[in-house]
Amino acid sequence: MKQLFIAVSVFALASCCSNQQSADQWTDAEIDQKIEEILPQLSLDEKVALCHAQSKFSTPGVARLGIPELWYSDGPHGVRMEINWDDWGHSHWTNDTATAFPVLTSLAASFNPDLAFEYGNAVAEEALYRGKDVMLGPGVNIYRSPLNGRNFEYMGEDPYLASVMAVPYIKGMQQNGVAACVKHFALNNQETWRTTVDVQVSDRALREIYLPAFEAAVREANVWSVMGSYNLYNGQHCCHNAKLNSILRNEWGFDGCVITDWGGATDTKESAENGLDIEMGTWTNGLTSSTANAYDSYYLAKPYLEAIKKGEIDSKTLDAKVRNILRLMFRTNMAKNIKHGRKGNAEHIQTALNIAREGIVLLKNDNEVLPLDAKTTKKIAVIGENATRSMMGGGSSELKTFHEVSPLEGIKSHFPNAQIVHSMGYASGPEIYGHVLPSRLNADSLQKAALEAVKDVDLVIFVGGLTKAHEQDCEGGDRRSLDLPFGQNELVEKILDVNKNMIFVLVDGNAVTMPWLDKVPAVVEAWYGGCEAGNAIADVLCGDVNPSGKLPYSFPVKLEDNAAHSFASEEVYPGLAAVDAANNHKETYKEDILVGYRWHDTKNIKPLFAFGYGLSYTTFEIQKADVKVASGKVNVKATIANTGKRDGAEVLQVYVGKPDSKVARAVKELKGFKKISIAAGASAEVSVDVPVEKLAFWNEESQKWEVEKGKYVVYVGTSSDNIAHTLEININ
Ligand code: BGC
């Protein structure tokens, strides 16, 4: 079959690179003028009303002036189904479906910023059709622990990768007049005790690891809203944290709205004075019994109004918020030209499929068992619950999709001549009220059936991994273990005793251990691929698509190999069980800047699979690499040859290290990359620029970025552990 090449539409490229305001948007000056005209017309009550929820996903407008309500939706993988006005129940509308896009981890694994632009654009078009003004995403929290239940919603462990992927997502979205709400600002790196964990982290790690993606969202993508996170930083909740707010507004020049995470505000005065604009909520006091407006009790509702009236809080804080809110409105629901959007159309589904395909990472492929020949593969046993399980949940990123192609369906349609049997092999058990119960299906019988099914087949495709249930890849709880759950490892071993021709397809959004790795010839990391997941997986298995994804985070061999877990200390993860005087769990990020591959590299701890790693059905060689420094840029030019027999795409990765630095540094850090398609037998020249200022570290004494002079090492490779050329530069 014909190979599918990575197609980047001209439209995407053109718009992705432009940062200009188009004629159909108000200019900043026009917006400012309009705001000043409206402000004096608003009563104090009306102003305060703008600053807090009127329902789970809306804030009021000012009806008498024709100022519309703002409507919000999760985010980030598509437009969420409708949620009830006053509680978290699904509204059960019949017209609230959406295209389900692959999770952000899959997008990050594509290492393709143009796809991020198309992703943001498509989600925004669906948001418009569904009447949403603010989309709650993208999530850019850094992958610190593989146990974090929400890693699948984020873009991996590297701040540069997360920045480069978040910026076009936001631009693609906002060009439609839909606000992105980049979340969760900041240091929301786990779900355990997410509202009471009080993070202590050095300024360097804050600036170099945890903030860059937010900074890029503000400075490079001009994001229109930011969601404050639930957790605390240095003793203060992040939704109204004085230091974070000052960085956001004073240093980065953010002029949009800070919105709480739902229920993330905890104090009226801090909310008023530390830059929070809109309070959204999970709890509505007196909801079922009170006749009063339940939202009146919010910190930025009556208590705020009363404090202003009493002169305890300056009314200027309110005007500042209203200005920000009106600015958000003039960019979205009061834009000059409001678009109407579309959903479930062929282009959006194609975008979802393209991302799912490009995100897939080929982890192992001994003796080129993959791709499979669809014509000669006669008998396949597909084993595993994830072959058929729906993956549309996981907390607030849940979706009601038009369709969802399961891996089993995808395999069946791509191997029409094969005889295919499916056997679950294991069962995860139902989830009730946030708890996963043991399955009522008999584990022994499931295993027995699977072992029977694999007996006389040419090939076993094991589709396993994690699920979107509590304490798996799901909001509201962290995983308890790095291992695959529900007896999958044991089942794999038993199957291998019967049939060694196994391909393991992982469907998950987090690293897992693979004790059977030596014995399984091929492993594919497919993530949660959205509505077209099954087709994308099957495209890769049968070779219609040559995999080109790269891991956006390291897979440790064992949990203790991960930086945060290496300390084996509750103080480092998940925080001290004993609460402090303010009832919070103190947690100290002792690994500091050494997150992910920075830790593995610097401490010489070999990962199972390294950051940036991913195989192809062809082979690439970086034949030549040169570096020079000119005009404030480090320029790397490399020649990559496709030395195999198939067309494919490779990601040239440029890492930089400073061996004799005056501060502790990681051996190397990703500073640039480029994905390029190269035909079989051909070669291409790739050029990557790294602005010299990006070599800076955060100087804690001067509280400034500082570029040290002297020697730097530039590593040019195709993953963090596969460096083909090590070069040197001098920065004077
Ligand atoms: C999540 C946010 C989400 C919000 C609204 C919160 O619980 O942390 O990511 O956007 O709910 O659903």
Side-chain angles (χ1 to χ4, degrees), residues 57 74 80 150 183-184 194 227 230 261 396 475:
F57 281 96
D74 288 300
R80 190 181 187 179
R150 288 188 92 172
K183 68 191 188 183
H184 308 87
R194 67 175 177 173
M227 184 187 291
Y230 282 130
D261 199 339
S396 57
E475 182 177 339

Side-chain angles (χ1 to χ4, degrees), residues 126 160 176 180 214-215 307 328 374 396 401 481 513 517 575 608 696 727:
E126 303 223 342
Y160 176 75
N176 291 286
F214 291 102
E215 183 171 3
L328 179 65
S396 57
T401 185
S481 149
T513 58
L517 186 62
L608 189 64
L727 311 165

Side-chain angles (χ1 to χ4, degrees), residues 277-308:
D277 299 303
I278 298 175
E279 182 186 3
M280 301 302 290
T282 287
W283 301 279
T284 47
N285 297 347
L287 175 69
T288 46
S289 55
S290 163
T291 49
N293 180 1
Y295 298 90
D296 283 350
S297 62
Y298 276 30
Y299 294 96
L300 282 186
K302 265 202 174 139
Y304 187 29
L305 183 69
E306 276 155 22
I308 291 175

Side-chain angles (χ1 to χ4, degrees), residues 574-609:
L576 294 172
V579 291
D580 60 16
N583 259 326
N584 298 315
H585 302 273
K586 274 232 154 57
E587 183 179 29
T588 310
Y589 286 12
K590 287 198 178 160
E591 74 283 8
D592 204 57
I593 54 162
L594 297 181
V595 175
Y597 67 90
R598 289 165 166 78
W599 174 264
H600 285 279
D601 277 3
T602 311
K603 301 283 175 185
N604 248 317
I605 300 170
K606 211 175 148 26
L608 189 64
F609 295 110

Side-chain angles (χ1 to χ4, degrees), residues 619-665:
T619 44
F620 295 96
E621 201 183 301
I622 305 179
Q623 294 178 323
K624 213 172 79 184
D626 294 314
V627 64
K628 63 170 198 265
V629 186
S631 322
K633 278 183 191 152
V634 179
N635 175 258
V636 174
K637 278 203 172 57
T639 310
I640 312 184
N642 179 342
T643 50
K645 292 196 186 69
R646 284 170 181 264
D647 300 346
E650 181 54 292
V651 180
L652 182 86
Q653 302 170 35
V654 175
Y655 298 82
V656 181
K658 175 102 186 75
D660 55 355
S661 173
K662 63 180 179 192
V663 291
R665 297 226 194 186

Side-chain angles (χ1 to χ4, degrees), residues 288-573:
T288 46
S289 55
S290 163
T291 49
N293 180 1
Y295 298 90
D296 283 350
S297 62
Y298 276 30
Y299 294 96
L300 282 186
K302 265 202 174 139
Y304 187 29
L305 183 69
E306 276 155 22
I308 291 175
K309 282 186 180 160
K310 284 190 206 146
E312 290 164 3
I313 292 177
D314 195 333
S315 64
K316 282 192 191 135
T317 61
L318 179 59
D319 285 346
K321 295 181 200 312
V322 173
R323 284 194 176 92
N324 291 338
I325 295 165
L326 289 173
R327 187 173 303 113
L328 179 65
M329 288 177 164
F330 280 115
R331 288 166 164 171
T332 57
N333 65 356
M334 295 203 290
K336 208 176 199 174
N337 279 313
I338 295 182
K339 297 180 183 170
H340 299 291
R342 53 187 181 155
K343 67 167 192 173
N345 47 308
E347 291 87 346
H348 291 176
I349 293 167
Q350 186 63 43
T351 297
L353 177 59
N354 292 347
I355 297 162
R357 283 169 169 166
E358 268 200 54
I360 291 177
V361 183
L362 180 62
L363 294 175
K364 184 177 178 190
N365 193 18
D366 277 1
N367 305 321
E368 297 186 11
V369 284
L370 287 174
L372 304 167
D373 185 341
K375 287 195 204 89
T376 55
T377 315
K378 294 280 178 271
K379 281 186 179 174
I380 306 175
V382 178
I383 308 295
E385 194 189 56
N386 284 1
T388 53
R389 192 183 163 107
S390 173
M391 293 297 183
M392 292 297 141
S396 57
S397 63
E398 64 180 356
L399 291 165
K400 189 199 278 184
T401 185
F402 301 104
H403 74 281
E404 181 180 4
V405 182
S406 71
L408 182 62
E409 284 167 333
I411 292 167
K412 280 187 172 166
S413 68
H414 285 62
F415 294 86
N417 303 322
Q419 195 184 315
I420 298 174
V421 287
H422 171 240
S423 184
M424 262 171 86
Y426 67 90
S428 60
E431 187 184 4
I432 298 177
Y433 301 121
H435 293 282
V436 179
L437 305 177
S439 171
R440 262 175 284 155
L441 300 174
N442 183 292
D444 290 341
S445 319
L446 288 174
Q447 247 190 34
K448 226 167 123 195
L451 294 175
E452 195 56 40
V454 300
K455 256 189 194 158
D456 306 311
V457 295
D458 306 323
L459 180 77
V460 180
I461 304 180
F462 194 110
V463 188
L466 303 173
T467 70
K468 292 277 200 79
H470 186 60
E471 291 176 353
Q472 298 279 309
D473 284 322
C474 184
E475 182 177 339
D478 284 352
R479 294 160 72 199
R480 299 289 179 95
S481 149
L482 189 61
D483 296 335
L484 283 171
F486 319 124
Q488 290 178 72
N489 287 339
E490 187 196 331
L491 177 63
V492 169
E493 298 285 354
K494 285 192 175 159
I495 291 175
L496 288 170
D497 286 342
V498 181
N499 192 328
K500 295 201 179 337
N501 296 327
M502 182 189 287
I503 291 158
F504 199 116
V505 178
L506 278 161
V507 174
D508 60 19
N510 244 326
V512 296
T513 58
M514 299 181 207
W516 34 258
L517 186 62
D518 287 348
K519 293 177 240 165
V520 174
V523 183
V524 174
E525 174 56 83
W527 320 111
Y528 301 109
C531 61
E532 286 288 315
N535 282 332
I537 290 170
D539 282 338
V540 165
L541 293 180
C542 75
D544 282 2
V545 167
N546 188 353
S548 63
K550 300 280 178 176
L551 289 180
Y553 49 78
S554 320
F555 276 52
V557 174
K558 50 187 190 307
L559 190 60
E560 310 83 86
D561 291 354
N562 164 276
H565 296 277
S566 69
F567 295 88
S569 149
E570 62 171 24
E571 191 195 342
V572 187
Y573 174 91

Side-chain angles (χ1 to χ4, degrees), residues 55-293:
S55 78
K56 280 279 145 287
F57 281 96
S58 71
T59 47
V62 185
R64 69 179 180 89
L65 295 178
I67 296 173
E69 298 169 340
L70 273 172
W71 278 86
Y72 309 73
S73 176
D74 288 300
H77 306 137
V79 188
R80 190 181 187 179
M81 63 281 249
E82 296 302 319
I83 301 295
N84 289 342
W85 186 264
D86 265 344
D87 65 45
W88 284 99
H90 295 155
S91 306
H92 300 293
W93 291 11
T94 50
N95 59 354
D96 58 348
T97 50
T99 303
F101 294 87
V103 295
L104 289 191
T105 298
S106 162
L107 174 68
S110 77
F111 274 66
N112 184 345
D114 297 320
L115 278 182
F117 184 88
E118 291 184 31
Y119 193 140
N121 179 61
V123 172
E125 288 186 346
E126 303 223 342
L128 285 171
Y129 191 84
R130 292 268 310 276
K132 310 298 178 195
D133 309 303
V134 182
M135 284 302 298
L136 307 172
V140 297
N141 294 103
I142 291 295
Y143 188 111
R144 174 177 183 250
S145 158
L147 301 189
N148 179 10
R150 288 188 92 172
N151 280 336
F152 70 99
E153 287 186 63
Y154 304 140
M155 301 210 239
E157 71 188 21
D158 183 75
Y160 176 75
L161 175 65
S163 307
V164 171
M165 300 306 286
V167 166
Y169 180 107
I170 294 165
K171 285 187 182 175
M173 177 166 279
Q174 294 191 164
Q175 69 165 358
N176 291 286
V178 173
C181 184
V182 66
K183 68 191 188 183
H184 308 87
F185 188 64
L187 299 161
N188 183 186
N189 306 108
Q190 66 190 53
E191 289 300 284
T192 302
W193 299 323
R194 67 175 177 173
T195 57
T196 48
V197 68
D198 182 2
V199 175
Q200 320 292 305
V201 64
S202 74
D203 279 347
R204 270 196 73 198
L206 181 73
R207 299 289 187 149
E208 295 180 22
I209 305 292
Y210 296 103
L211 293 189
F214 291 102
E215 183 171 3
V218 173
R219 289 193 197 257
E220 292 170 42
N222 187 22
V223 74
W224 294 339
S225 62
V226 171
M227 184 187 291
S229 61
Y230 282 130
N231 53 288
L232 300 93
Y233 160 56
N234 277 352
Q236 198 169 40
H237 273 101
C238 292
C239 286
H240 34 74
N241 185 291
K243 180 168 167 183
L244 291 177
N245 180 53
S246 166
I247 293 173
L248 181 67
R249 304 222 185 241
N250 305 335
E251 284 186 37
W252 301 345
F254 177 65
D255 68 354
C257 279
V258 174
I259 301 169
T260 58
D261 199 339
W262 270 230
T266 57
D267 186 88
T268 295
K269 200 165 161 60
E270 283 184 11
S271 297
E273 292 173 355
N274 294 343
L276 179 66
D277 299 303
I278 298 175
E279 182 186 3
M280 301 302 290
T282 287
W283 301 279
T284 47
N285 297 347
L287 175 69
T288 46
S289 55
S290 163
T291 49
N293 180 1

